[in-house]
């Protein structure tokens, strides 16, 4: 794959360099040619190291002579340095050799040969143009088109060549990085006009359930946006703004150690980095009459870069379900429940950013995002009850709810590039604030078998809201000591304040009013502080590349229950001491086509608020939740072995074997005890324990083949086993099951500008995944850990999911017009054969239960995208701050 990518990118560069002669003599963007080379640096006094003003800088190189039809030496640019000694030449051909001539009164003149170092690879290897440096790939290859010549001393001939990352327009579908697998999804057809949830369905190794919950290797990963954790859910992120998805299955020392046996799912948003102006406008509609609109624009001139993006998406989701539960207690009983629900609403996503280039080596950036949504839900349930095979009664339950969410984030960042390439320091501060509110009504009417009312209806009203505030500060340092060695270090401090209110009301018929029921209402808040630091050292010895890292992390947590007036009523505190988390990555480059990698990391998953809270939650009187303040963190040792082979043009094979061993796994179990809401009655209690241990292992195989010039086929197969072993008085909670799932994707180029995508997936029987409930708000850099939020359903050794499968289809027509304008029209349908049905089975010593659900089959969508702007991919290295690499970063917020 690297070979193919290298040749493609070099061909593009060659075309850009030679298709038109250079404008010559104009510095900084003259002409409309497609040359993308960029030299810049600083002239300093050799004794004082201070910048020198008014130094004459002359750049000479080859230029095509139309008279002789040959290349000849010519002056390509002349300038006078600024007060700080800076100089810069843009729009240069990337091939060939140059000379930089410096002169200033009272100083020695300097003739300095310079070049971009780009040449066609011998044998087509991806690293040939990259000088054999570790890492490879399209970004490193294109980075050579942007050179920092460093501090040039007038009395010494010192050269310092550098590079910077520039995105390429032609990329493989997936790539293997030293610590991640990269899937480029910007051209995914079936997800056009939808949300990130649809994109995840096409990513190898990921499973997405009917509610949009994602699992990676049968565990829930931490969701990142641009290398930072986020409070946004996948269905709140428009698919059209996503550039690529990175699976960090075994995070190294740079990343938050929390997250347990799951990895990181990093969503990288699209970023416009071209000079001048460019952007796009898009719109779409689905078969349920719901629309989406979006657009973005990027403008760059002189020292200012400005970007703005906006998206508006309407949604209508329809679901149906059946649950059949047999209670084993005496007397035995059965509950049969059918459900139909509709959810309608919208969400808007806005983000903007401003970069100020102080000079060649200093950049300040500010960015912000705003996300707002509103949803209405209506659901009807029919519940039949049977005791000892006698039909006793049935319930009709109607639920309506209205909810809102809002998120505001901001970030300020700074980067300084030292004169030496690869030597920089970055700092950023992030603030995020989010809030939500909801109001729901539930009416339950019980009927006798003959249809007559059985008493008065039970009417309930729930009013709730919550707020979250995150503060994060971090600093990162990196130093490319030599071409083959690199040192990185960083520190991070993160604070999160969270509060939640949920008041439960019951209708009182005598007074005809809803009355607050304090016992089933709850108010709580928690405060989390996380501190962390890390260091990594990377080096290369012949064909071997190494990355060794160590992370130190600690956190403090305080949870508080509030009374009806919002005053503290009960508090518990947990302090997690400093822990060390080592990591190691070893890569062996077999040849230009093949790589072999081995890696290891240690991670932690700390209990969250709900898992620790030792007070019962009676909001569902039949399924009471109560935490366990004695829970211990779970620690996971994770190992991976990967093999990557670009065995022929247009084809790539990737295989990974993994093993994870977790101690004190946090798992959920059910027991029956006295119900505090009533006298002499009992109820089911859901709580959490530390299982004795768990382990999982598996094999992941992904292959992309260019079967013909017009057909690309990608297939992914995942074979895995998860085993949980827990000891609970009177119960055995052990469970183990070997399972597998597969995905396939077909991309057909029917004719010029017309393409078809046909994809499908199959999930075999599997253990209900041990979803991570700890999480953390820490991210790249000094990252944090802790019990930041939410968790979702926890692991249980008492159930499994049944097999399922489905297929999606999309057709797209592309047009290209003059002046860099283009457009595309996409028609798509999900679950085209209406086969996606999610079924599960669970059991305990008290009951057995089967359930099945179906959501949104065969929805047809039509989307149009119009793109405008010029192709001029000059990108200053100084703009590549950590924030730029991560985009919106922590302004998206900490993990819920």
């Amino acid at each position: 794959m690297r070979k193919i990518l290298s040749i493609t990118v070099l061909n593009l560069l060659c075309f850009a360099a030679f298709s038109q002669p250079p404008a010559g003599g104009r510095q900084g963007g003259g002409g409309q040619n497609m040359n993308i080379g960029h030299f810049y640096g600083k002239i300093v006094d050799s004794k004082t190291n201070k910048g020198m003003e008014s130094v004459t800088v002359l750049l000479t190189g080859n230029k095509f002579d139309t008279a002789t039809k040959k290349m000849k030496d010519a002056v390509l640019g002349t300038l006078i340095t600024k007060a700080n000694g800076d100089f810069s030449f843009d729009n240069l051909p990337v091939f060939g050799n140059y000379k930089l001539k410096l002169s200033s009164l009272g100083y020695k003149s300097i003739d300095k040969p310079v070049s971009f170092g780009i040449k066609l690879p011998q044998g087509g290897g991806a690293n040939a143009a990259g000088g054999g440096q570790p890492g490879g790939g399209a970004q490193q290859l294109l980075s050579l088109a942007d050179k920092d010549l460093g501090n040039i001393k007038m009395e010494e001939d010192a050269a310092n060549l550098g590079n910077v990352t520039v995105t390429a327009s032609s990329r493989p579908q997936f790539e293997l990085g030293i610590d991640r697998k990269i899937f480029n999804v910007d051209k995914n057809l079936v997800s056009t006009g939808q949300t990130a949830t649809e994109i995840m369905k096409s990513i190898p190794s990921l499973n997405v359930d009917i509610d949009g919950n994602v699992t990676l290797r049968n565990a829930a990963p931490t969701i990142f946006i641009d290398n930072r954790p986020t409070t946004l859910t996948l269905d709140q992120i428009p698919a059209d703004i996503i550039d690529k998805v990175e699976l960090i299955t075994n995070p190294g020392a740079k990343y938050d150690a929390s997250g347990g046996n799951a990895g990181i799912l990093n969503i990288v948003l699209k970023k416009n980095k071209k000079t001048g102006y460019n952007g796009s406008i898009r719109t779409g509609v689905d078969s349920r009459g719901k629309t989406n609109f979006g657009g973005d624009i990027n403008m760059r001139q002189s020292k200012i870069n400005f970007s703005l993006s906006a998206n508006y998406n309407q949604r209508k989701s329809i679901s149906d379900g059946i649950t059949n539960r047999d209670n084993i207690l005496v007397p035995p009983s059965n509950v049969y429940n059918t459900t139909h629900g509709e959810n309608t609403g919208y969400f808007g996503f806005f983000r903007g950013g401003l970069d100020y280039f102080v000079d060649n080596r200093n950049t300040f950036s500010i960015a912000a995002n705003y996300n707002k949504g509103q949803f209405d839900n209506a659901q009807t349930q029919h519940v039949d009850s049977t005791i000892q095979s006698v039909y006793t009664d049935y319930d009709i339950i109607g639920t309506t709810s209205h909810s809102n969410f809002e998120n505001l984030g901001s970030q300020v960042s700074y980067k300084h590039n030292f004169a030496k390439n690869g030597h920089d320091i970055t700092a950023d501060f992030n603030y995020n604030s989010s809030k939500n509110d909801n109001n729901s009504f539930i009416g339950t009417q019980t009927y006798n078998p003959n249809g007559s009312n059985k008493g008065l209806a039970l009417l309930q009203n729930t009013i709730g809201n919550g707020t979250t505030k995150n503060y994060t500060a971090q600093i990162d340092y990196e130093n490319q000591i030599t071409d083959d060695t690199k040192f990185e270090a960083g520190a991070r401090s993160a604070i999160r304040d969270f509060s939640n209110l949920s008041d439960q009301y019951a209708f009182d018929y005598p007074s005809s009013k809803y009355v607050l029921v304090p016992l089933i209402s709850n108010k709580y808040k928690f405060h989390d502080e996380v501190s962390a630091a890390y260091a990594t050292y990377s080096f290369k010895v012949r064909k071997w590349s190494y990355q060794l890292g160590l992370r130190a992390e600690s956190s403090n947590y305080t949870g508080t229950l509030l009374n009806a007036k919002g005053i503290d009523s009960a508090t518990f505190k947990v302090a997690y001491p400093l822990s060390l988390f080592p990591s190691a990555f070893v890569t062996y480059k077999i040849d230009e086509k093949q790589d072999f990698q081995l890696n290891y990391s240690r991670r932690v998953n700390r209990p969250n608020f709900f898992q620790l809270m030792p007070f019962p939650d009676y909001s569902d009187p039949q399924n009471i939740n109560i935490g366990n303040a004695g829970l211990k963190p779970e620690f996971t040792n994770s190992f991976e072995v990967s093999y990557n082979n670009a065995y022929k043009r247009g084809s790539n094979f990737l295989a990974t074997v993994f093993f994870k061993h977790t101690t004190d796994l946090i798992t959920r179990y059910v027991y029956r005890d006295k119900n505090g809401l009533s006298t002499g009655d009992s109820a089911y209690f859901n709580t959490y324990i530390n299982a004795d241990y768990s382990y999982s292992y598996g094999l992941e195989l992904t292959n992309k083949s260019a079967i013909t010039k017009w057909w690309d086929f990608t297939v992914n197969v995942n074979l895995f086993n998860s085993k949980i072993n827990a000891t609970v008085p009177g119960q055995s909670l052990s469970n183990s099951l070997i399972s597998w799932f597969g995905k396939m994707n077909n991309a057909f180029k029917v004719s010029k500008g017309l393409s078809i995508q046909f994809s499908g997936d199959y999930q075999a029987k599997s253990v209900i995944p041990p979803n991570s409930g700890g999480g953390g708000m820490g991210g790249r850099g000094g990252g944090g850990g802790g019990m930041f939020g939410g968790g979702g359903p926890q692991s249980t050794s008492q159930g499994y999911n049944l097999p399922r499968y489905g297929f999606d289809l999309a057709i797209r027509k592309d047009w290209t017009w003059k002046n860099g304008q283009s457009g595309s029209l996409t028609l798509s349908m999900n679950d085209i054969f209406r086969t996606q049905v999610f079924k599960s089975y669970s059991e305990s010593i008290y009951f057995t239960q089967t359930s099945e659900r179906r959501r949104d089959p065969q929805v047809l969508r039509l989307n149009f995208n119009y793109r405008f702007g010029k192709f001029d991919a000059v990108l200053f290295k100084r703009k590549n701050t950590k924030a730029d690499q991560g985009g919106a970063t922590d302004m998206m917020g900490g993990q819920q």
Side-chain angles (χ1 to χ4, degrees):
M1 182 59 67
R2 291 178 181 171
K3 172 182 176 181
I4 298 166
L5 180 59
S6 302
I7 294 174
T8 302
V9 171
L10 285 170
N11 285 334
L12 289 174
L13 290 175
C14 185
F15 174 77
F18 293 128
S19 61
Q20 298 181 17
R26 295 186 63 182
Q27 184 273 334
Q32 298 302 319
N33 58 67
M34 298 182 66
N35 301 323
I36 64 174
H38 176 214
F39 285 136
Y40 65 98
K42 189 172 188 175
I43 311 302
V44 299
D45 185 286
S46 62
K47 294 182 179 179
T48 65
N49 280 326
K50 292 183 178 179
M52 294 176 56
E53 185 177 6
S54 300
V55 176
T56 300
V57 184
L58 185 71
L59 182 68
T60 64
N62 291 330
K63 183 177 181 180
F64 185 74
D65 189 337
T66 57
T68 63
K69 306 298 183 181
K70 296 181 180 180
M71 303 297 291
K72 71 174 185 178
D73 288 338
V75 176
L76 301 181
T78 303
L79 56 81
I80 304 298
T81 58
K82 302 176 183 178
N84 61 358
D86 280 355
F87 68 90
S88 177
F89 292 95
D90 289 334
N91 301 324
L92 301 172
V94 295
F95 294 96
N97 298 315
Y98 298 85
K99 278 189 179 181
L100 197 67
K101 297 183 179 182
L102 313 177
S103 61
S104 182
L105 184 63
Y107 288 86
K108 289 182 180 181
S109 297
I110 295 177
D111 285 354
K112 177 182 176 61
V114 294
S115 72
F116 293 101
I118 297 178
K119 57 185 178 180
L120 288 174
Q122 300 300 317
N127 284 335
Q133 295 186 22
Q139 292 186 345
Q140 181 183 355
L141 186 64
L142 280 178
S143 71
L144 297 178
D146 192 285
K147 281 278 176 89
D148 184 350
L149 301 179
N151 287 351
I152 303 177
K153 299 180 179 181
M154 286 298 289
E155 293 187 352
E156 296 181 7
D157 187 7
N160 202 336
L161 305 180
N163 54 49
V164 64
T165 298
V166 179
T167 57
S169 60
S170 177
R171 301 181 297 175
Q173 186 177 5
F174 63 88
E175 303 172 75
L176 178 65
I178 193 169
D179 63 348
R180 68 194 64 197
K181 298 176 181 67
I182 303 167
F183 299 91
N184 298 306
V185 298
D186 57 320
K187 292 180 172 57
N188 187 285
L189 304 187
V190 296
S191 60
T192 303
Q194 301 188 67
T195 67
T197 302
E198 299 304 316
I199 282 185
M200 301 310 148
K201 293 178 181 178
S202 67
I203 301 298
S205 303
L206 291 183
N207 254 339
V208 182
D209 70 11
I210 190 172
D211 296 310
N213 299 310
V214 175
T215 56
L216 171 62
R217 295 176 178 174
N218 215 38
T222 303
I223 306 298
F224 276 27
I225 291 181
D226 287 326
N227 283 313
R228 295 292 189 273
T230 179
T231 58
L232 299 175
T233 59
L234 293 176
D235 58 1
Q236 295 171 358
I237 305 171
D240 295 323
I241 68 172
I242 298 176
D243 182 42
K244 57 187 175 183
V245 175
E246 299 178 340
L247 299 185
I248 309 173
T249 53
N250 207 8
K254 288 183 181 181
Y255 291 92
D256 178 9
S258 67
N261 60 357
I264 293 172
L265 174 59
N266 184 36
I267 298 172
V268 181
L269 302 182
K270 294 178 180 177
K271 305 172 187 67
N272 288 311
K273 295 183 177 181
K274 301 175 184 178
T275 57
Y277 70 92
N278 55 86
S280 67
I281 300 173
R282 49 192 173 269
T283 185
V285 64
D286 64 27
S287 54
R288 292 173 178 170
K290 300 303 177 181
T291 59
N292 66 84
F293 304 93
D296 54 71
I297 188 168
N298 184 82
M299 294 181 289
R300 180 177 175 204
Q301 186 174 8
S302 185
K303 292 187 174 184
I304 299 296
N305 184 78
F306 173 75
S307 61
L308 181 67
S309 175
N311 291 271
Y312 172 80
N313 292 64
Q314 294 181 337
R315 285 288 176 267
K316 181 177 182 179
S317 178
I318 301 175
S319 62
D320 294 280
I322 298 174
T323 301
N324 189 10
R325 180 167 178 164
D326 289 315
N327 297 307
I328 304 174
L329 299 178
V330 178
S333 61
N334 172 267
V335 177
Y336 186 82
N337 184 336
T338 59
T339 305
H340 174 80
E342 295 188 11
N343 185 283
T344 58
Y346 71 89
F347 72 90
F349 188 95
F350 309 89
R351 63 188 178 107
L354 180 69
D355 302 295
Y356 175 62
F357 309 128
V358 181
D359 53 38
N360 281 348
R361 300 198 178 99
N362 294 279
T363 302
F364 287 96
S365 300
I366 183 170
N369 74 272
Y370 179 73
N371 188 261
K372 179 180 176 63
Q374 173 182 302
F375 289 91
D376 294 294
N377 182 66
Q379 180 176 279
T380 302
Q381 299 182 64
H382 185 111
V383 184
D384 295 303
S385 298
T386 303
I387 300 178
Q388 289 184 317
S389 301
V390 177
Y391 185 52
T392 58
D393 53 44
Y394 65 93
D395 295 323
I396 301 296
I397 305 174
T399 303
T400 59
S401 66
H402 177 83
S403 61
N404 300 279
F405 70 88
E406 190 173 4
N407 180 279
L408 175 64
S410 60
Q411 178 191 58
V412 178
S413 60
Y414 166 75
K415 179 177 182 179
H416 173 73
N417 288 316
F418 297 96
K420 181 181 178 182
N421 175 64
H423 189 194
D424 59 70
I425 187 169
T426 64
D428 45 72
F429 175 78
N430 304 272
Y431 168 74
N432 177 270
S433 175
S434 62
K435 61 181 180 180
N436 64 82
D437 63 78
N438 62 82
N439 190 351
S440 65
F441 291 88
I442 304 175
T444 304
Q445 176 65 63
T446 304
Y447 297 88
N448 292 306
N450 61 8
S452 61
N453 289 358
K454 192 175 182 179
L456 296 174
L458 173 62
L459 305 178
Q460 299 169 279
N461 176 216
T462 300
I463 301 176
N465 63 70
T467 61
T468 306
K469 292 185 178 181
N470 301 294
Y471 311 85
T472 308
Q474 78 174 65
I475 186 169
D476 296 275
Y477 171 81
E478 65 178 7
N479 186 1
Q480 187 80 40
I481 302 171
T482 69
D483 286 346
D484 295 331
T485 59
K486 184 178 183 180
F487 173 76
E488 297 177 83
R492 179 182 174 105
S493 177
I495 298 174
R496 182 181 186 186
D497 290 307
F498 181 89
S499 65
N500 185 77
L501 176 149
S502 179
D503 284 333
Q504 304 285 341
Y505 297 85
F507 188 77
D508 180 64
Y509 281 93
S511 63
S512 298
K513 295 180 179 179
Y514 281 93
V515 179
L516 179 67
V517 184
L519 191 59
I520 61 175
S521 301
N522 62 69
K523 297 181 177 70
Y524 61 87
K525 64 180 182 180
F526 63 76
H527 175 85
D528 199 351
E529 298 179 4
V530 181
S531 300
Y534 77 93
T536 65
Y537 180 68
S538 305
F539 60 98
K540 179 181 178 183
V541 180
R542 296 184 179 89
K543 292 187 175 183
W544 293 89
S545 299
Y546 304 85
Q547 184 188 91
L548 307 178
L550 182 65
R551 184 183 188 86
E553 193 172 279
S554 66
S555 66
N556 297 287
Y557 182 84
T558 302
T560 305
L561 285 180
L562 308 175
N563 60 22
K565 297 182 179 180
I567 301 174
D568 295 3
S569 61
T571 300
F572 61 93
K573 298 181 179 180
V574 180
Y576 295 103
L578 186 71
S579 299
L580 297 179
F581 301 92
S583 64
F585 295 81
V586 180
T587 302
Y588 176 69
K589 188 171 185 59
I590 302 172
D591 54 35
E592 294 298 334
K593 295 182 178 180
Q594 301 178 83
D595 297 286
F596 174 82
Q597 187 180 96
L598 172 68
N599 59 64
Y600 161 79
S601 70
R602 182 175 188 254
R603 309 201 73 209
V604 64
N605 186 40
R606 303 179 182 95
N608 65 24
F609 177 86
F610 298 99
Q611 295 167 336
L612 291 170
M613 184 178 68
F615 315 107
D617 175 10
Y618 290 102
S619 55
D620 182 354
Q622 298 302 315
N623 294 279
I624 301 169
N625 294 295
I626 183 170
N628 177 2
L631 284 176
K632 297 179 290 184
E634 57 185 39
F635 288 90
T636 300
N637 290 290
S638 179
F639 302 85
E640 280 187 17
V641 178
S642 296
Y643 169 73
N644 185 47
N645 185 1
Y647 55 92
K648 70 174 183 177
R649 182 180 179 88
S651 300
N652 201 87
F653 173 72
L654 175 63
T656 301
V657 176
F658 66 89
F659 175 82
K660 296 183 179 183
H661 181 265
T662 301
T663 58
D664 295 320
L665 179 74
I666 299 172
T667 188
R668 183 174 61 183
Y669 83 103
V670 181
Y671 67 94
R672 193 172 181 87
D673 202 352
K674 182 179 178 181
N675 189 346
L677 291 177
S678 59
T679 303
D681 197 5
S682 61
Y684 293 109
F685 285 76
N686 300 285
T687 190
Y688 305 92
I689 62 169
N690 287 111
D692 292 342
Y693 67 87
S694 76
Y695 64 78
S696 62
Y697 59 86
L699 171 66
E700 299 174 343
L701 303 173
T702 302
N703 185 72
K704 178 183 180 295
S705 299
I707 297 178
T708 68
K709 292 182 179 180
W710 50 269
W711 180 15
D712 287 341
F713 178 67
T714 302
V715 62
N716 169 249
V717 177
N718 298 262
L719 178 68
F720 58 91
N721 180 36
S722 296
K723 179 177 176 62
I724 302 173
N725 186 59
T727 301
V728 181
Q731 298 185 51
S732 175
L733 301 184
S734 298
N735 200 355
S736 177
L737 179 67
I738 296 177
S739 184
W740 69 279
F741 70 89
K743 298 185 178 184
M744 66 90 179
N745 183 71
N746 295 271
F748 303 98
K749 298 178 182 178
V750 180
S751 62
K752 183 178 180 180
L754 182 62
S755 55
I756 298 176
Q757 181 176 330
F758 178 65
S759 59
D761 70 301
Y762 175 84
Q763 168 68 65
K765 180 180 177 181
S766 62
V767 174
I768 292 178
N771 294 338
S772 169
M777 68 183 286
R780 181 177 172 87
M787 299 63 58
F788 288 174
Q794 287 302 301
S795 63
T796 172
S797 47
Q798 299 165 277
Y800 51 82
N801 295 314
L802 296 171
R804 62 175 177 83
Y805 65 96
F807 301 91
D808 301 329
L809 179 67
I811 303 173
R812 185 173 73 180
K813 174 62 179 177
D814 292 288
W815 295 272
T816 301
W817 301 293
K818 297 180 179 179
N819 301 321
Q821 300 177 71
S822 63
S824 60
L825 185 68
T826 304
L827 182 68
S828 63
M829 176 179 282
N830 66 294
D831 193 15
I832 58 174
F833 301 124
R834 199 179 175 87
T835 55
Q836 280 283 21
V837 181
F838 291 76
K839 300 180 180 180
S840 66
Y841 171 83
S842 58
E843 64 179 12
S844 74
I845 61 174
Y846 307 109
F847 65 85
T848 61
Q849 178 175 294
T850 60
S851 63
E852 66 176 67
R853 295 176 63 198
R854 185 195 303 272
R855 169 175 284 183
D856 300 329
Q858 297 179 323
V859 178
L860 187 67
R861 295 176 174 88
L862 182 67
N863 290 274
F864 178 74
N865 189 357
Y866 168 72
R867 296 172 291 275
F868 58 89
K870 302 176 182 179
F871 180 81
D872 192 3
V874 178
L875 172 64
F876 288 144
K877 171 185 176 181
R878 59 195 177 190
K879 185 178 183 296
N880 288 351
T881 61
K882 293 291 181 184
D884 183 59
Q885 295 169 8
T889 63
D890 276 331
M891 65 183 182
M892 299 295 180
Q895 184 185 358
Q896 294 193 89

